[in-house]
Amino acid sequence: MKKFLSAALFSTLSLSAFAQNEISYVVSFPNAIHHEAEIAMSVANVPAGNLTVRMSRSSPGRYATHEFGKNVYHFKAFDQGGKPLKINQTAGDVYEIPSHGKEVKITYTVFGNWIDGTYSGFDETHAHMNIPATFAFPVGMDARPRTVQFKYPEKQGWKVATQLKPLEKNTFYAANLQYFMDSPIEIANYKTAKWDVKDHDGKTQTIHLIAHSNDTQVAIDNYAGMLKKMVDEHYAVWRDFPTYDYGNYYFLEDVYPTNAGDGMEHRNSTSIVQRTEKIQGYESSLLGTFSHEYFHSWNVERLRPKTLEPFNFEHSNISDELWLAEGFTQYYGGLLLTRAGLKTVDNTAQAFNGMVNAVLNSPGAKNFSPIEASRYAVFADAGVAIDQTNKGNIFLSYYTYGAATALALDLRLRSEFKLTLDDYMRALWKAYGKPEIPYTTPDLEKTLASLTKNEVFAKDFFGRYIYGKEKNDYAKLLLNAGFVLRKAKPGQAYTGFGNFNPTDSKITVMQTLQGTPAYQAGLDVGDIILSIDGQNVTDASVVDNITKSHKPGDVVEINYQYRGENKTTKLTFAENPALEIVSIEKTGATLTPRMQNFRDNWLNSQVNSKQK
């Protein structure tokens, strides 16, 4: 009895402390038809002195800076008696309240009409919320718990889906600001499917598919069956499920043609926004985002770079390790769909082909390392700017760069050590992911050395291919699995123009890339092509036909105009550098039993493999 009374007293005191310190929100949608939500935030036990309230400038899962404060207006503050308080707006998204009592209530309107993983959108069909784009927060109170209550007409049939902990009807809880900001919310008359997953220790958790789409329940159930196969292959890699808070993981999917499209990972959920009429009939094309984002529930949500800890909401974190956090996830996203039988081997070869072409042919990879590519994410990851950049010549996406690095490391581990990239990911999970110890790049190298029992290999790999700009021998590595890397268009002439910008029947050059004939000819963005080799250029097909009529090494005269001035230059055609990956049997050569075995062990299902 004494123990019971002590426990009860402790519980009462805990609830009292919670009530004294919680930050509570109430959200309503009286003008959803015009994409507005009304937010009321109450802050209890406010310390004396200036109270600063702000909107975020960054978002979990996004690496560039954003200006969420631009869609906030009618910002007001009141004391506990309802008396208005003076507000000083010291920045576009920062508000200071110099004089106040112990309790302060903030109200404001937020506009949202962009449906993706980063922003928010409100209309008569749903409320789609990324937390940093929706909720202001008091500075210096990050450790305080949060509650949020949603109010909307019941006749809409809306329901709330979120990884936040449910307390009572339409009210949800987060232990602190970091968790709250990482918890997207979808409120709609959605359809759902769910299934249980069991870990090696017998622990059962539940995976939920929440689908706001124009689909039947049968279509949602069928799609959930496909996702279950995908989830099984993910588990086969890690051989351990993350411990999902409250025992649930949510795929929050919103599907409509006018959506912006996106996938954004979170600790126990992912926001997936797709641009099709519905799910049914598009299942195969939509699966890639699911696979990528679900892999993140291990890699980046728990197996996490130290550079992303803690997440900064005043500006974006810069990270050296996105080549692994995002790039290795990109590699596995497609690979595991193939293992699950949801993509063909040819699909996989095409994906690898894109990775290898980008790494071997783009100036961003030739001149910059994977670490440097990762650092550029603060500008590249959906960052918005009106000025043009030289991104095409200085940056290759860390998604692609990292995926190509993962491909090379996987093939090298298999061919040189009788290990796999799966073994490496499990080693990282055991050392850093499961205990949630943030890692550094040297930690990644140390783990590779420990796994291979070869410090020389690990140091060489990181020195040449992670810190450095060298490239692996992809042709040699792929041949182990019976894939041939070869020139896609041998002997064909190439200009390097890429796409043109056709305006008013004029063919305008887009940015040209270093090393291409167009770049070396001094042509660049904004140049208007008038004629090539004496032929007037009226559309892109003329350029294509002229190119086809020449061979590498031929020189042609190009007349062009820039800022109203007519100019002339010489362009020397090069051989088309594009590569292709094809199965060896399609080349007429023999797929040996050794190659077949290597390929099967790599690309076939691992669900029934021996679990360690």
Side-chain angles (χ1 to χ4, degrees), residues 194-205:
K194 64 181 180 179
W195 69 97
D196 289 341
V197 292
K198 184 176 289 187
D199 217 328
H200 54 81
D201 60 1
K203 181 179 180 179
T204 299
Q205 302 182 95

Side-chain angles (χ1 to χ4, degrees), residues 163 179 182 244-245 249 266-269 297 301-302 436:
Q163 68 178 34
Y179 192 90
D182 193 40
Y244 299 123
D245 300 319
Y249 182 89
H266 298 276
R267 182 172 173 84
N268 305 296
S269 63
S297 67
E301 288 300 329
R302 291 163 177 86
E436 299 199 44

Side-chain angles (χ1 to χ4, degrees), residues 118 163 178-179 332 347 396 414 419 459 498 539 549 585:
T118 308
Q163 68 178 34
Q178 288 282 326
Y179 192 90
Y332 271 107
N347 293 146
L396 174 64
R414 290 172 184 275
L419 293 165
K459 183 176 182 180
D539 56 50
S549 70
E585 52 269 40

Side-chain angles (χ1 to χ4, degrees), residues 238-252:
W238 301 96
R239 298 178 182 173
D240 191 27
F241 278 111
T243 298
Y244 299 123
D245 300 319
Y246 317 120
N248 295 284
Y249 182 89
Y250 299 88
F251 290 109
L252 304 177

Side-chain angles (χ1 to χ4, degrees), residues 52-55 57 67 69 88-96:
T52 301
V53 177
R54 65 167 302 140
M55 292 295 291
R57 290 179 186 164
E67 300 292 348
N88 297 321
Q89 188 173 0
T90 58
D93 48 15
V94 180
Y95 305 84
E96 294 186 352

Side-chain angles (χ1 to χ4, degrees), residues 499-510 528 538-540:
N499 295 325
F500 291 101
N501 182 21
T503 56
D504 299 327
S505 299
K506 298 177 181 179
I507 297 302
T508 305
V509 176
M510 304 292 280
I528 300 171
T538 55
D539 56 50

Side-chain angles (χ1 to χ4, degrees), residues 449-477:
S450 176
L451 176 68
T452 59
K453 298 180 173 57
N454 192 322
E455 291 185 8
V456 174
F457 169 77
K459 183 176 182 180
D460 178 76
F461 189 90
F462 272 75
R464 295 170 66 186
Y465 309 118
I466 305 302
Y467 297 106
K469 301 183 285 287
E470 294 185 55
K471 303 296 175 282
N472 284 273
D473 188 344
Y474 287 95
K476 178 182 176 182
L477 292 172

Side-chain angles (χ1 to χ4, degrees), residues 86-376:
K86 179 183 178 181
I87 300 174
N88 297 321
Q89 188 173 0
T90 58
D93 48 15
V94 180
Y95 305 84
E96 294 186 352
I97 304 167
S99 180
H100 53 80
K102 278 288 188 179
E103 296 182 17
V104 175
K105 181 178 181 179
I106 306 289
T107 64
Y108 61 90
T109 302
V110 60
F111 176 87
N113 191 26
W114 191 253
I115 311 300
D116 72 351
T118 308
Y119 297 97
S120 294
F122 313 107
D123 58 39
E124 289 183 298
T125 69
H126 70 150
H128 172 92
M129 282 170 278
N130 185 37
I131 302 298
T134 311
F135 293 91
F137 61 94
V139 175
M141 303 182 193
D142 294 6
R144 290 197 184 190
R146 265 74 173 165
T147 63
V148 55
Q149 181 184 20
F150 299 102
K151 294 184 176 180
Y152 48 81
E154 292 185 4
K155 64 181 181 180
Q156 292 174 293
W158 281 10
K159 300 161 286 187
V160 180
T162 177
Q163 68 178 34
L164 293 169
K165 181 181 180 179
L167 293 181
E168 53 187 1
K169 186 178 181 181
N170 294 340
T171 302
F172 300 83
Y173 164 85
N176 51 50
L177 179 68
Q178 288 282 326
Y179 192 90
F180 182 60
M181 290 295 222
D182 193 40
S183 303
I185 299 164
E186 180 73 23
I187 310 177
N189 185 14
Y190 55 75
K191 294 180 176 67
T192 184
K194 64 181 180 179
W195 69 97
D196 289 341
V197 292
K198 184 176 289 187
D199 217 328
H200 54 81
D201 60 1
K203 181 179 180 179
T204 299
Q205 302 182 95
T206 304
I207 310 291
H208 302 258
L209 170 60
I210 307 296
H212 178 222
S213 66
N214 295 319
D215 286 283
T216 65
Q217 185 62 49
V218 171
I220 300 303
D221 291 339
N222 289 338
Y223 197 54
M226 300 173 75
L227 294 178
K228 184 178 184 301
K229 292 180 181 179
M230 179 200 81
V231 168
D232 289 346
E233 292 295 341
H234 283 253
Y235 176 72
V237 172
W238 301 96
R239 298 178 182 173
D240 191 27
F241 278 111
T243 298
Y244 299 123
D245 300 319
Y246 317 120
N248 295 284
Y249 182 89
Y250 299 88
F251 290 109
L252 304 177
E253 184 179 27
D254 193 282
V255 179
Y256 198 70
T258 58
N259 285 346
D262 199 7
M264 188 62 62
E265 74 277 1
H266 298 276
R267 182 172 173 84
N268 305 296
S269 63
T270 181
S271 177
I272 296 177
V273 179
Q274 295 171 315
R275 305 180 66 182
T276 59
E277 296 177 3
K278 53 185 179 180
I279 296 171
Q280 189 173 17
Y282 300 91
E283 292 91 345
S284 181
S285 62
L286 302 182
L287 283 168
T289 306
F290 279 84
S291 190
H292 179 100
E293 302 305 334
Y294 187 59
F295 200 82
H296 272 317
S297 67
W298 289 270
N299 188 31
V300 94
E301 288 300 329
R302 291 163 177 86
L303 176 58
R304 193 161 176 80
K306 192 173 183 179
T307 47
L308 297 180
E309 290 284 338
F311 204 85
N312 192 323
F313 296 112
E314 295 189 13
H315 62 79
S316 53
N317 295 51
I318 191 168
S319 176
D320 287 356
E321 295 85 15
L322 297 183
W323 57 270
L324 185 134
E326 291 290 355
F328 277 40
T329 300
Q330 184 77 359
Y331 170 73
Y332 271 107
L335 174 63
L336 297 184
L337 291 178
T338 302
R339 289 183 181 175
L342 300 170
K343 293 285 187 181
T344 67
V345 171
D346 283 344
N347 293 146
T348 302
Q350 291 171 11
F352 295 159
N353 183 60
M355 299 170 194
V356 173
N357 264 288
V359 164
L360 297 183
N361 288 324
S362 71
K366 289 178 179 178
N367 300 319
F368 298 89
S369 71
I371 286 178
E372 290 172 308
S374 297
R375 291 172 183 164
Y376 198 78

